[in-house]
Amino acid sequence: RVQLVESGGGSVQAGGSLRLSCVVSSMRIAGTYMAWFRQAPGKEREGVASIGRGAGSTGYADSVARRFVISKDMSKNTLYLNLKDLEPDDTAMYYCAAGPPDSGRWSPTLREPDYNYWGQGTQVTVSS
């Protein structure tokens, strides 16, 4: 079965950086679009960054544009999220998600219903 396993979260001070990883098994990430979502306590889950199928065009939420960078290594079947200039408002559980394989969609999307597969999450905590 398809599994997504995130890692790389942690506790940092404001202004710090982290790199999140998401290793995917039983499905080639080259064949689908993927994204990172986050959920802070008491808030709804929101999409923060997405990367399209294939060469992978990218899309970001306004709140993280120019601070977060999404990328993928298809040889390692792994998705990444580089976070810099972190702020306390970035504190959340971060989830990686993948769309269905070989669907007709090539572009990135931050819509939660577009995703079929989800990881368990990795916690990011930013202190001021």
Side-chain angles (χ1 to χ4, degrees):
R1 66 185 173 95
V2 177
Q3 284 190 298
L4 285 67
V5 180
E6 303 97 333
S7 63
S11 297
V12 298
Q13 291 193 323
S17 301
L18 286 171
R19 187 193 200 199
L20 308 184
S21 299
C22 172
V23 178
V24 181
S25 58
S26 302
M27 183 176 72
R28 292 169 52 251
I29 67 170
T32 190
Y33 50 89
M34 298 191 70
W36 288 94
F37 288 76
R38 68 184 181 186
Q39 187 168 22
K43 294 187 177 180
E44 292 187 355
R45 189 155 57 183
E46 62 171 344
V48 295
S50 178
I51 188 164
R53 185 176 164 185
S57 56
T58 57
Y60 297 91
D62 289 344
S63 58
V64 306
R66 291 179 294 281
R67 296 190 301 120
F68 291 8
V69 177
I70 189 171
S71 62
K72 59 184 175 181
D73 184 334
M74 288 184 278
S75 68
K76 295 182 179 179
N77 224 41
T78 299
L79 180 73
Y80 300 101
L81 186 67
N82 283 283
L83 303 81
K84 70 173 185 178
D85 298 330
L86 283 161
E87 303 167 354
D89 283 348
D90 294 318
T91 295
M93 185 71 78
Y94 283 71
Y95 299 91
C96 114
D102 302 317
S103 73
R105 183 181 194 97
W106 286 77
S107 58
T109 170
L110 293 178
R111 291 184 66 249
E112 192 170 332
D114 290 337
Y115 291 90
N116 293 54
Y117 304 104
W118 294 83
Q120 294 299 306
T122 186
Q123 177 69 36
V124 171
T125 303
V126 185
S127 57
S128 56

